[in-house]
Amino acid sequence: MCIGIRSFPNAGGGGAESELNSLFGFSEAPEYRNGDDCPATTLQRDALTSCDPSLIHVAMALDSEYLRGSMAAVHSVLHHASCPENVFLHFIAAEFDPVSPQVLSSLVGSIFPSLNFKVYIFREDTVINLISSSIRTALENPLNYARNYLGDILGPCVNRVIYLDSDLVLVDDIQNLWNVKLHESRTIGAPEYCHANFTKYFTDSFWSDPVLSRVFGSRNPCYFNTGVMLIDLQKWREGNCRRKIENWMELQKKKRIYELGSLPPFLLVFGGNVEPIEHRWNQHGLGGDNVAGSCRSMHPGPVSLLHWSGKGKPWVRFDQKNPCSLDYVWEPYDLFNVDKVKVQHQQQHQSVFSTNLIYFS
C-alpha cells in the first residue's frame, strides 16, 4: 500500500537543498529547539525513529497542489510547540503526483532541516475504484482518502496520531491537543457540531431506506470535520475501521447515499461515538462553501486552530490579491517567497534566450 522514502532530520544540509528551495520558491524555516522541560527522546537525533515513545505523531497529506498550505501548517505546528523536536510528521504523498514524492521529501527536508519526518508513497489504486463523484472535483482526489489507511500506512509501534488537513494553521501548542484523553469506547476525537443539520450529509434515498436509516441505532450522531482528528490507531486496527469505511464506499458506488467526498463514511462509522474535543481546535469553514469560497468569519469562542475548509484557500486569495481578513492570520506562517520565484523565472527566461542566440560573422 505504501513505501516509506526517508526520515529526517537532515544532518548538515548542503547546497543541493538550498537550490531546491530556490527552485520551488520556499525559504528555510527557523530552527525550533526543545526547552529544558521537554521529555528526552530515548535515542540521539540522528538515530531517532518513529517508535520513540516521547514523540507526538502528526499525519498529513503532501502534494504539489497544496504544498504551500502544508508547509505553512507544519511551520505553525513547530512555531507554537513547546517541544518541537518531539514532533514527528508522517507525510502521505501520491504515487503519481506531478512532483515526485522523492522530490517532495527532499524539499521538506530543505525547508525544515531539523524536522523529524517520514514520507510514504500512497498507491492511488488502493482506493481509486472506491471513489464516487462529489460536489467539488478536488474532493475526489485519492489523497483525500489516505486518512482511511493510516492504521496500515504507519508502523505498528505508532498507536496514536493527530491527523491534520493542509489548509490550516495552529496558534496553540499541539501538545495540548495530543494530551486529550480518548475514553475506552472512542477510537477518534474531534470537535463536534451538534447544531448542524446532520441529515443534509446524506441523500433522500439513504433516509428513505428502512435499513440504512436505522444504521445509527441508539447513537446520537453529530457532524464533525475530518480535517482535524485525534486517532487511537490501536483501536482503529482492532476494530477494522478501514474496512468498515470501505464497505460504505462500496455501497455508495451501487446506491448513491451521500454527495460530499470522504466525510460521510466517517460519519457513518463514527457518528455518535466521537470523543468531543473543544471547538477551539477546529475553527473550520474559513474557506467558504464548496462552490463560491467566499469570506467567512470565525465561530464565537477561543481559537487554537484555524481551518480554511471549503473552496477558498488563503494562498490562492493572496496570489489573486484579494485576501479575506482572516487570511492575514495564515500569512506569517507562509514560507513561500513570491519574489524568489520571480527571480528564478527571470533567470530561466534569460537562460533560454542566451542558448538560442545565433552569432553571424
Side-chain angles (χ1 to χ4, degrees):
M1 184 175 298
C2 283
I3 306 168
I5 300 177
R6 63 191 299 188
S7 297
F8 280 83
N10 180 18
E17 285 77 11
S18 178
E19 290 178 10
L20 191 65
N21 262 11
S22 178
L23 179 63
F24 282 87
F26 287 93
S27 300
E28 183 178 312
E31 190 168 12
Y32 297 101
R33 293 296 187 187
N34 283 357
D36 295 335
D37 297 332
C38 293
T41 55
T42 57
L43 297 171
Q44 295 297 317
R45 285 182 60 79
D46 57 357
L48 188 67
T49 73
S50 59
C51 293
D52 192 294
S54 68
L55 297 176
I56 297 172
H57 295 279
V58 180
M60 182 182 294
L62 183 67
D63 68 344
S64 54
E65 183 178 359
Y66 281 76
L67 181 61
R68 188 171 171 185
S70 299
M71 297 302 94
V74 173
H75 188 197
S76 73
V77 169
L78 299 177
H79 180 80
H80 294 283
S82 55
C83 302
E85 293 179 87
N86 291 63
V87 177
F88 197 104
L89 264 293
H90 302 267
F91 292 107
I92 319 298
E95 184 177 14
F96 300 113
D97 192 281
V99 179
S100 75
Q102 290 84 355
V103 172
L104 290 173
S105 177
S106 297
L107 182 61
V108 172
S110 67
I111 297 172
F112 301 102
S114 60
L115 178 66
N116 301 303
F117 76 91
K118 191 171 185 176
V119 176
Y120 308 80
I121 302 176
F122 181 60
R123 291 182 54 185
E124 298 176 21
D125 58 0
T126 302
V127 72
I128 193 71
N129 292 325
L130 294 173
I131 298 175
S132 302
S133 60
S134 183
I135 60 173
R136 185 157 58 92
T137 306
L139 300 177
E140 300 169 23
N141 186 334
L143 208 54
N144 286 335
Y145 296 83
R147 72 195 88 189
N148 302 0
Y149 300 92
L150 289 175
D152 305 281
I153 294 171
L154 306 190
C157 64
V158 181
N159 291 322
R160 184 179 173 93
V161 68
I162 295 171
Y163 178 82
L164 297 177
D165 271 352
S166 299
D167 52 356
L168 54 78
V169 294
L170 275 74
V171 291
D172 198 349
D173 188 352
I174 199 168
Q175 180 80 50
N176 296 328
L177 179 57
W178 182 254
N179 288 341
V180 172
K181 181 180 179 181
L182 299 181
H183 289 87
E184 190 172 342
S185 63
R186 272 77 183 265
T187 301
I188 69 171
E192 290 187 298
Y193 303 90
C194 296
H195 64 278
N197 181 5
F198 190 81
T199 60
K200 73 177 184 179
Y201 293 99
F202 302 95
T203 62
D204 291 340
S205 63
F206 173 87
W207 293 113
S208 62
D209 188 297
V211 177
L212 295 178
S213 60
R214 294 200 302 268
V215 69
F216 295 105
S218 59
R219 291 185 285 161
N220 185 24
C222 295
Y223 162 76
F224 64 94
N225 181 281
T226 53
V228 180
M229 294 186 291
L230 178 60
I231 306 173
D232 185 320
L233 289 176
Q234 184 172 345
K235 293 178 186 174
W236 179 284
R237 295 171 183 129
E238 292 172 353
N240 204 7
C241 295
R242 183 256 294 177
R243 186 59 199 152
K244 292 176 181 177
I245 290 172
E246 288 179 332
N247 287 341
W248 285 112
M249 294 177 69
E250 289 170 357
L251 179 61
Q252 164 76 351
K253 297 288 284 187
K254 300 173 184 176
K255 179 179 182 178
R256 196 161 184 85
I257 58 174
Y258 55 80
E259 303 288 351
L260 194 64
S262 61
L263 169 64
F266 269 82
L267 298 179
L268 288 162
V269 174
F270 299 108
N273 196 25
V274 174
E275 185 68 36
I277 293 177
E278 288 183 89
H279 287 179
R280 67 189 303 152
W281 285 106
N282 196 351
Q283 284 275 351
H284 68 289
L286 303 183
D289 61 31
N290 281 303
V291 179
S294 54
C295 294
R296 291 269 182 91
S297 57
M298 286 194 297
H299 309 291
V303 182
S304 292
L305 183 152
L306 292 87
H307 186 188
W308 280 262
S309 57
K311 185 178 181 182
K313 305 305 175 188
W315 58 93
V316 175
R317 295 197 285 227
F318 273 115
D319 286 348
Q320 294 172 344
K321 304 199 182 304
N322 189 32
C324 300
S325 58
L326 284 174
D327 294 346
Y328 289 98
V329 180
W330 177 89
E331 188 182 24
Y333 306 102
D334 183 18
L335 293 168
F336 186 74
N337 190 325
V338 176
D339 293 334
K340 183 183 290 188
V341 173
K342 288 179 180 177
V343 170
Q344 183 73 20
H345 286 172
Q346 287 172 356
Q347 291 173 344
Q348 291 174 343
H349 188 66
Q350 291 169 356
S351 175
V352 169
F353 275 92
S354 64
T355 56
N356 286 326
L357 287 175
I358 301 175
Y359 293 90
F360 293 90
S361 58

